[in-house]
Amino acid sequence: MNPEEGIHTDFREQMTYGDYLRLHLLLDCQKLLSGHHDEMLFVIIHQTSELWMKLMIHELEAAMESIRTGDLPAAFKMLSRFSKIQSQIIQSWDVLSTLTPSEYMKFRGYLGHASGFQSYQYRMIEFYLGKKSTHILKIYENDPVLLEKLKQAYEARSIYDVSIEALHKAGFSIDEKVLNRDVRKPYQYEESVEQAWLQVYQNVEKYWDLYELAEKLVDLEDWFQQWRFRHMKTVERIIGYKKGTGGSSGVSYLKKGLDQSFFPELWHVRTKLQAR
């Protein structure tokens, strides 16, 4: 008897794998503008990155809601997944780096001013992590629905804001100017927040969930910075110091992001910890 005789082959009235994933739509999205072989690589790398970012937003929004409601263990799973997704995007830059400068120049002109700089999902992730900018919003004024979606993320508390609120709810003394700050502005280092995290790190057993939350946030930012770095080096490898198609300074703009920290106190506290 053939052990595979039970495999289902009649799909006249049932859903197939392709139907479930809507592959007929997904695999028809690669509309190339040039006749160059390597444009397919360029398009698929960026499309798959956008799919991963969609999942990142899905996990990040749920993690923030879990932190707000005090369900930290649920947030840990989502934040771990968020970090692992970034490892996949980092590896995608390694694939894109097989594109040589000469090959890219054969179809770069077809992009016009289209650029990854305009990725609205990437901007949403930045907003949720605390990097806020009204200048960025101007890019999306041609699409009112999308602009409104981005404004909601821009005006919302970041994951660090809700994590600091969790510290406050746990009884730590957080300066009122932090708790009531304008969340539309980038977060700035605050001494009372560092002191709270320091107490968490000095009393791990007592504040285990908050300690775990802190480490998940550090892990998230670590991976995010690696993502930024691989992006910057891939761009440098392929186009050098040319301006980006969207008008940014390219590599120089990307390098600036490497100096930015979303959760400054969580990095500072490592220097403050002493052997006990």
Side-chain angles (χ1 to χ4, degrees), residues 8-114:
H8 197 83
T9 58
D10 183 359
F11 290 96
R12 286 171 292 184
E13 296 182 2
Q14 296 193 43
M15 177 177 66
T16 66
Y17 168 82
D19 294 334
Y20 175 66
L21 296 178
R22 305 186 74 184
L23 291 181
H24 62 294
L25 296 175
L26 184 64
L27 299 180
D28 194 41
C29 288
Q30 295 72 47
K31 305 297 186 183
L32 309 185
L33 301 180
S34 74
H36 197 275
H37 172 82
D38 292 308
E39 190 184 355
M40 181 68 80
L41 164 69
F42 189 83
V43 169
I44 288 179
I45 288 291
H46 288 84
Q47 287 183 341
T48 53
S49 292
E50 291 293 334
L51 284 173
W52 281 125
M53 283 190 277
K54 182 174 184 177
L55 182 55
M56 289 168 72
I57 292 168
H58 177 71
E59 299 296 339
L60 196 55
E61 289 177 338
M64 288 192 291
E65 182 58 27
S66 293
I67 295 170
R68 286 190 196 100
T69 59
D71 189 1
L72 296 185
F76 299 157
K77 175 66 177 291
M78 298 159 190
L79 293 176
S80 292
R81 184 174 293 162
F82 183 97
S83 294
K84 288 299 182 183
I85 293 167
Q86 291 183 91
S87 72
Q88 295 297 309
I89 299 181
I90 290 167
Q91 290 182 15
S92 75
W93 291 120
D94 295 335
V95 180
L96 186 60
S97 68
T98 64
L99 179 68
T100 68
S102 297
E103 291 164 346
Y104 182 47
M105 288 304 113
K106 296 288 180 62
F107 63 85
R108 187 180 192 239
Y110 287 88
L111 273 64
H113 292 300

Side-chain angles (χ1 to χ4, degrees), residues 113-128:
H113 292 300
S115 166
F117 185 86
Q118 299 144 15
S119 169
Y120 78 86
Q121 292 197 118
Y122 182 80
R123 297 306 173 190
M124 284 188 70
I125 292 169
E126 284 194 325
F127 288 170
Y128 284 145

Side-chain angles (χ1 to χ4, degrees), residues 60-70 72 75 79 128 156-169 178-179 181 183 197 210 213 217:
L60 196 55
E61 289 177 338
M64 288 192 291
E65 182 58 27
S66 293
I67 295 170
R68 286 190 196 100
T69 59
L72 296 185
L79 293 176
Y128 284 145
R157 293 187 177 277
S158 71
I159 191 165
Y160 200 44
D161 288 319
V162 298
S163 296
I164 291 171
E165 287 179 350
L167 286 172
H168 176 63
K169 290 175 182 177
V178 179
L179 299 173
R181 77 182 193 88
V183 297
W197 286 126
L210 290 170
L213 174 60
L217 293 175

Side-chain angles (χ1 to χ4, degrees), residues 201 214-215 218 265-273:
Y201 274 84
E215 285 298 290
V218 169
E265 295 86 359
L266 288 176
W267 296 97
H268 291 174
V269 77
R270 280 153 165 73
T271 306
K272 296 285 184 69
L273 286 170

Side-chain angles (χ1 to χ4, degrees), residues 118-120 123 136-143 147 150:
Q118 299 144 15
S119 169
Y120 78 86
R123 297 306 173 190
I136 291 298
L137 290 173
K138 294 179 181 179
I139 296 173
Y140 311 98
E141 289 178 346
N142 66 313
D143 188 332
L147 179 61
L150 281 161

